[in-house]
Amino acid sequence: MPKANLADRVFLTADSEETPQHVACLATFIIPDDAPGDYVRRLADRLRAQATFASPFNYRLRRVALRKVAPTWQIVPDDQIDIDYHFRHSALPAPGGERELGVLISRLHSRPLDPTRPLWEYHLIEGLDRNRFALYFKVHHALIDGVGGVKRMQQTLTSDPRSDEAPALWTIGPRVRNPRAAANAARGQRIRRAMRATREGALTAAGLAKAAVRLVALAQRNSESDVAVPFVAPQSVINRRIGRQRRVATQLIEFDLVRQIASASGVKINDVFLAACAGGLRRYLHELDALPDKSLTAGTPVNIRIDGDDTTTNAFSMVVVKLGTEIADPLVRLRAIARSNDAAKDELRRLPKTLQKLYPSLFMAPFVGQNLVGIGGRTNPPYNVSISNVPGPLEPKYLAGARMEAMYPLALLYHGVGLFVALFAASGRLGVGFVGDRDGLPHLQRLAVYTGDAMDELADAVGVTARALTR
Amino acid sequence: MPKANLADRVFLTADSEETPQHVACLATFIIPDDAPGDYVRRLADRLRAQATFASPFNYRLRRVALRKVAPTWQIVPDDQIDIDYHFRHSALPAPGGERELGVLISRLHSRPLDPTRPLWEYHLIEGLDRNRFALYFKVHHALIDGVGGVKRMQQTLTSDPRSDEAPALWTIGPRVRNPRAAANAARGQRIRRAMRATREGALTAAGLAKAAVRLVALAQRNSESDVAVPFVAPQSVINRRIGRQRRVATQLIEFDLVRQIASASGVKINDVFLAACAGGLRRYLHELDALPDKSLTAGTPVNIRIDGDDTTTNAFSMVVVKLGTEIADPLVRLRAIARSNDAAKDELRRLPKTLQKLYPSLFMAPFVGQNLVGIGGRTNPPYNVSISNVPGPLEPKYLAGARMEAMYPLALLYHGVGLFVALFAASGRLGVGFVGDRDGLPHLQRLAVYTGDAMDELADAVGVTARALTR
């Protein structure tokens, strides 16, 4: 029987009605022009027929009642898994635009998984306008993380537009031989490391405390410092206790536009993305009459693979970046963000290498801890908004002849940080997925639209003439 | 602030992940031939715009954590109710037949309501084949019962096919002046009485115990007795602990066919309906290799209004009827059911009138009680299956020019009785809604189909040539 490791335990323990611990990815595909009218239904039938289940898609909690204190998994035989429960064929009402898709995905993403069954759902959604369909894949973070889910979804795709292959996601196991290693590989890789760091962080708390003290001292010495200080984020409508319901919104941005802006302004691509998010947030919060005077801060993962090591271990850390949301001028804001991002990474590099990988625990440990003991959202959050950027393949990918238009990662929320913006680069485009607390953040699609507008503003400011994307 | 009465408390206390205490009704409508292509979208816009809320659609639990021990309601101002959360516009994937509708409604009916909001959802569903749309209205039993919900849904309809009125269900309050009485009237009427009977039943336990002893003695004296004995139902796959997921199936039967069969065979209409259910169950369970040797029994409400009293008080009781599922011949089975039903009602009439109305508590009290203390489904159920028959208007009804085709009541399950079959007569047709435990009862739509087939069999047996209905 597979044992629940620390990451499983953290995500199962943190599960609550308000903070269900699932992640998801949403992808849209363009149906080939010459496809028959029942293309999606045929695809549904082909997927549904693949009722064999690789790990962890066949893992079930052995005793649901004990999931928070002593979780154990059992492997369910294929013939006892109800494929019609996990695989769902849905449809959008007319006109089947981004609004209707957002409404449906908001509902799907709000709903906790059934803990008595394997913890995943896969939705094939027809009726999307411009001859498209969508996939929404949702999985518990104890089984697989967002990046893992995105990777697994990528494995169902091909670069060949003429191939009509459509392997079902749940049939694809981890690509390793040792079944025990396979089971481990299937689970949360990046975030699991962050969580392991949380535990290890406790053992090296002294080292981290020193880093924290240094950060605070730095910020106090100069209140105009570019270094954002964790837990000194301004309060905002984003940073409250959250409810059970979510809003999901999406935005699609041409990768080439972002590349051009970065090149013209001499900053990194990620800085441009952060600046567009900042511009969108500034306008969105201003309209809600809820824009703080001080800059919002973003918690964002960084790659710290510096020693040529090709393994996936120890390659993830986290920085807090000032978003410059108090700055009106888009270019001034972009430069401020780039400076803050650089400064935060410099600070990170000043840490001993062994501590760099533990750095996320500086934020994560109390953050997760607060949620576990129920005070999340009642104290200072570590930062205002989570923003993550996952690179993917830029060449076009296909599923059964349908070209993937975009893939949007959809993350989870904790009390205290009611907004997660995540980006996935695929097929030459950046798919940006916004997940927000429904009650705290009304009209979230506006934030998505404003983020696209902010990218256009940046393009204007640096003299690039392309547009983010017509939606 | 409205106080939670006994019925509210029972239904809130009995709420669990496996037994969410909501009821629903599903209705299908035929779009007028001359309607524009965006008829359903326009209807959705018109309904969504009616964001004023009559009681109890504006009731919210004051403190969710206390809902099981000390529930209190608060009235939410209209502008704080998120209409886009409660009103949902959905669609079916092609071909949009009864199968696709059943799959969607099964999911919707499985999902508990969000206890932090007013406890109802209203779904407008497009994409139903043969130019139809569907409504699914779901409400917590603590606010309103199934009959109340059906009545309220009826109040949104008109007899005039040319009227394009579409009053939203949530804008319609109870038709009384006193607001306190209004709040009460809005809640579960029939079942509330049953629940009050449960409490009163405890006070007159001696009287009921006598009735129970009599029933058992009667059955023991003659094991071939027509009288079904509560808590002596044979065990079956229906009668186990249930899971969190449901299957929903529907069947539509012409009222006139049932009337003809009843008339030709000299039994009551309800006997014919019970016989069709019995025939369907016999074949369905036989195919699962799970047909008990002894007859299954059904718990079914009866009207005991006998003194010309036009009030709604004290008019409801309950009997347990043998379904004759061990009998192969449909006509012999129909007669056995009619005899058992008559005998059960005779037994009921032998009780003093004051005890008649308390009779349901003989079944309900331990039934609900078992669920509350967590042993439901681990002891003998009071009967095998719940079957209920709610009369409605036989003339055609319309919503914004669309003729109502059928209305199907969808009830709730308890541990121990994993199947509820409910019938609503409307527009000259009987809409039969089947709700079953997903894990215990696979392919529930087969039971619906077999129930229609069994009705046809009865028609053949008595020489009536019409057919139940082509689906």
Side-chain angles (χ1 to χ4, degrees), chain A residues 103-391:
Chain A
V103 168
L104 176 61
I105 302 300
S106 297
R107 283 180 212 152
L108 299 181
H109 204 62
S110 300
R111 202 182 312 154
L113 292 158
D114 181 345
T116 66
R117 298 167 192 270
L119 294 165
W120 59 278
E121 292 171 11
Y122 185 96
H123 299 252
L124 181 63
I125 300 159
E126 69 177 49
L128 195 56
D129 63 6
R130 296 186 277 121
N131 202 30
R132 296 175 299 154
F133 69 90
L135 292 182
Y136 168 80
F137 167 56
K138 173 177 170 181
V139 63
H140 201 282
H141 212 324
L143 288 183
I144 202 168
D145 73 355
V147 174
V150 161
K151 272 187 189 161
R152 205 56 75 80
M153 178 97 85
Q154 286 284 328
Q155 289 173 356
T156 68
L157 307 178
T158 166
S159 299
D160 180 2
R162 284 155 310 177
S163 163
D164 73 340
E165 271 183 69
L169 183 62
W170 50 89
T171 63
I172 300 174
R175 284 181 179 162
V176 277
R177 293 219 181 107
N178 178 329
R180 178 61 183 267
N184 286 333
R187 295 195 204 116
Q189 291 213 354
R190 197 184 50 152
I191 305 288
R192 185 174 52 153
R193 282 198 300 280
M195 284 297 146
R196 196 188 297 136
T198 300
R199 181 185 50 173
E200 291 169 1
L203 305 176
T204 53
L208 281 168
K210 255 189 242 170
V213 165
R214 201 190 122 68
L215 279 171
V216 173
L218 192 73
Q220 283 177 338
R221 206 165 53 231
N222 176 6
S223 68
E224 298 302 309
S225 162
D226 293 325
V227 178
V229 182
F231 298 101
V232 195
Q235 271 297 328
S236 85
V237 291
I238 305 170
N239 307 105
R240 313 188 303 192
R241 283 187 73 78
I242 58 175
R244 296 172 188 227
Q245 308 300 330
R246 301 286 180 267
R247 292 183 202 269
V248 168
T250 58
Q251 181 59 280
L252 196 54
I253 296 172
E254 291 290 345
F255 178 74
D256 197 53
L257 176 72
V258 183
R259 197 187 48 71
Q260 287 182 55
I261 297 171
S263 163
S265 55
V267 301
K268 298 194 182 64
I269 282 177
N270 194 43
D271 294 329
V272 178
F273 174 55
L274 289 172
C277 290
L281 275 167
R282 179 179 155 85
R283 180 166 161 203
Y284 173 77
L285 291 176
H286 178 75
E287 283 190 4
L288 292 179
D289 202 16
L291 181 67
D293 292 338
K294 294 191 173 173
S295 172
L296 293 178
T297 61
T300 177
V302 301
N303 194 322
I304 54 165
R305 192 178 291 111
I306 28 184
D307 49 6
D309 181 7
D310 196 39
T311 69
T312 53
T313 324
N314 300 343
F316 159 72
S317 191
M318 195 162 193
V319 293
V320 176
V321 179
K322 285 191 176 180
L323 288 177
T325 44
E326 82 286 18
I327 303 169
D329 184 276
L331 211 49
V332 176
R333 194 188 312 127
L334 172 62
R335 291 190 192 118
I337 288 169
R339 275 201 311 278
S340 180
N341 207 352
D342 285 347
K345 283 177 192 154
D346 282 345
E347 282 302 307
L348 191 63
R349 271 184 225 109
R350 296 174 74 101
L351 291 176
K353 277 191 188 166
T354 52
L355 277 183
Q356 288 187 19
K357 63 169 180 164
L358 304 182
Y359 198 67
S361 67
L362 183 64
F363 323 117
M364 298 294 278
F367 189 34
V368 171
Q370 281 174 15
N371 274 276
L372 295 187
V373 300
I375 62 162
R378 299 199 171 106
T379 61
N380 261 1
Y383 42 77
N384 293 103
V385 49
S386 303
I387 301 184
S388 117
N389 176 347
V390 180

Side-chain angles (χ1 to χ4, degrees), chain B residues 351-385:
Chain B
L351 291 176
K353 277 189 188 168
T354 53
L355 277 183
Q356 288 186 19
K357 63 170 179 164
L358 304 182
Y359 199 67
S361 66
L362 182 65
F363 323 119
M364 297 295 279
F367 190 32
V368 171
Q370 282 174 14
N371 274 274
L372 295 187
V373 300
I375 62 164
R378 299 198 171 107
T379 60
N380 261 2
Y383 42 78
N384 294 103
V385 49

